[in-house]
Amino acid sequence: MTKGLGVGIIGCGNISTAYLSLASLFKGYEIVAVADINMDNARAQAAKFDVRANTVDDLLAADDVDLVINLTIPAAHVDVSRAILQAGKHVYSEKPFVLSLAEAQELGDIAKANDLRIGSAPDTILGASHQLARSLIDDGAIGKVTSGAAVVMSSGMESWHPNPDFFFQKGGGPILDLGPYYICNLVQILGPVAQVTSMTGMASETRTIANGPRDGEIVPVETPTTIHAVMKFESGAIVTLLSSWDVHSSNHPIMELYGTDGTIDVPDPNFFGGDVTVAPRGKEPTAHSWDHPFGVPNFEETKANYRGAGLADMALAITEGRPHRCNDAFATHVVEVMTAILEAGETGKVMTMTTSCNRPEVLGPDAASALLA
């Protein structure tokens, strides 16, 4: 017997370890099987976490698998998620959900026709600090949000990742790889985006791997690695997003939002925890916290990780017959925003969104606790 929905994983790379090791924290689901095109990877994870190793076809046919987590590379997301849905199973995808609006809409149509659910990471937006920031803004702590800035910058992945090629190929780059964390958080706080524009570039046409067995190997860069974007939200707020893998040092705040009555400093949405600071107009900044199970004020000391929170919310929502927070309308809108940013960088146009979404329901302390085993 499983505790809730039976869950399978397709894709047994590094990220699968997080889902497998943290699954016991949550209600609503139990991981029963894993699969990978490389069966050695599947068998290794299965042995380590005491689950079943399947071929992909066998996992999709398994009677005890109700929902499948898609942890394949981004370029394969649409094909794998399509196969999952066509097998009659719900799908929860790692970010980015897919690589185009058309792909997202296709999957949404299949799911709707078959009464299935789609969910997508990131679920870090359900973390304590980001839900606190949302709640403070909703309660008027800084008045009406009029503008803001979000920054995600580093020197790139080739210094630490042994196989960084896909980061620099079409479908990679900082917007599609890291952008989901930042744009999802902005959308859950401020609501949907109305228009975007951007300018893009790259510091180098090649990168040199600096670790592992391929140390010194040169890989081509096929996608922009510096993107300066401007997003106008339906609410009227205008937010600048600076996203780059060409920066070696920066002191920019990660995310600040500016309102008619003050400023809020939001921690890195790549993580669940962090410090939330509010500076009301004319007053000194004050740190805020609350008793929320998904992260604590000082992330660096605790290394809090609750990956699987969005999956647990989805699994319980399916059982309870309610909407889930990391849903396909939300993910589809974020995909359109990200791809429109890249298109604007190529064309110089201001892109108007054709999709919208509702903000996910706030995940307060009590609702978050209800997801825990």
Side-chain angles (χ1 to χ4, degrees), residues 7-23 31-54 59 69 71-72 307:
V7 170
I9 289 176
I10 296 179
C12 292
N14 290 338
I15 194 63
S16 66
T17 297
Y19 281 94
L20 286 158
S21 62
L22 296 170
I31 298 175
V32 297
V34 296
D36 195 283
I37 56 173
N38 183 333
M39 281 303 296
D40 288 341
N41 291 344
R43 293 187 190 100
Q45 289 294 71
K48 184 176 180 181
F49 292 100
D50 193 25
V51 297
R52 189 174 70 244
N54 279 156
L59 186 144
I69 309 172
L71 302 184
T72 60
R307 192 180 296 270

Side-chain angles (χ1 to χ4, degrees), residues 90-360:
H90 308 288
V91 61
Y92 184 90
S93 176
E94 249 305 325
K95 56 80 189 172
F97 171 37
V98 287
L99 300 181
S100 74
L101 176 58
E103 292 176 348
Q105 292 174 330
E106 177 199 353
L107 295 182
D109 289 344
I110 296 171
K112 184 177 180 180
N114 292 279
D115 195 24
L116 294 168
R117 299 278 191 110
I118 294 173
S120 180
D123 58 2
T124 50
I125 64 171
L126 303 180
S129 55
H130 308 298
Q131 292 299 302
L132 174 59
R134 157 83 176 268
S135 296
L136 288 167
I137 289 173
D138 285 354
D139 290 342
I142 63 169
K144 178 179 173 60
V145 177
T146 58
S147 62
V151 176
V152 51
M153 299 191 296
S154 73
S155 59
M157 309 299 192
E158 70 274 21
S159 64
W160 62 269
H161 199 290
N163 296 293
D165 311 58
F166 72 94
F167 289 112
F168 301 106
Q169 295 170 354
K170 295 290 185 181
I175 283 292
L176 290 172
D177 181 62
L178 294 174
Y181 296 105
Y182 299 81
I183 297 171
C184 281
N185 207 32
L186 290 168
V187 172
Q188 76 97 7
I189 291 172
L190 300 176
V193 176
Q195 293 180 305
V196 303
T197 192
S198 71
M199 298 188 76
T200 63
M202 62 177 70
S204 174
E205 294 182 353
T206 61
R207 296 287 178 126
T208 303
I209 300 175
N211 73 101
R214 299 174 62 197
D215 189 5
E217 184 176 330
I218 293 174
V219 298
V221 177
E222 301 172 353
T223 191
T225 49
T226 291
I227 301 96
H228 288 206
V230 179
M231 297 175 285
K232 185 171 184 179
F233 288 75
E234 290 182 11
S235 67
I238 299 171
V239 178
T240 300
L241 173 65
L242 309 181
S243 179
S244 180
W245 286 339
D246 299 321
V247 175
H248 298 281
S249 179
S250 171
N251 292 316
H252 271 294
I254 297 295
M255 185 176 288
E256 283 189 332
L257 297 174
Y258 312 119
T260 54
D261 296 322
T263 295
I264 189 168
D265 188 335
V266 182
D268 191 343
N270 198 13
F271 306 109
F272 287 84
D275 295 320
V276 178
T277 302
V278 175
R281 183 166 53 178
K283 297 181 180 180
E284 291 296 312
T286 302
H288 290 253
S289 63
W290 62 347
D291 187 16
H292 191 289
F294 293 163
V296 293
N298 194 334
F299 171 83
E300 291 302 325
E301 289 185 2
T302 64
K303 301 298 182 186
N305 188 358
Y306 300 91
R307 192 180 296 270
L311 176 64
D313 177 63
M314 178 179 173
L316 287 170
I318 291 169
T319 301
E320 296 166 2
R322 61 170 175 83
H324 60 289
R325 290 172 173 84
C326 297
N327 59 68
D328 58 325
F330 184 85
T332 294
H333 181 64
V334 171
V335 166
E336 184 181 24
V337 172
M338 294 189 298
T339 54
I341 286 171
L342 293 174
E343 184 175 348
E346 294 178 356
T347 64
K349 294 180 180 179
V350 175
M351 309 294 294
T352 298
M353 300 301 97
T354 63
T355 65
S356 187
C357 66
N358 295 321
R359 294 194 303 163

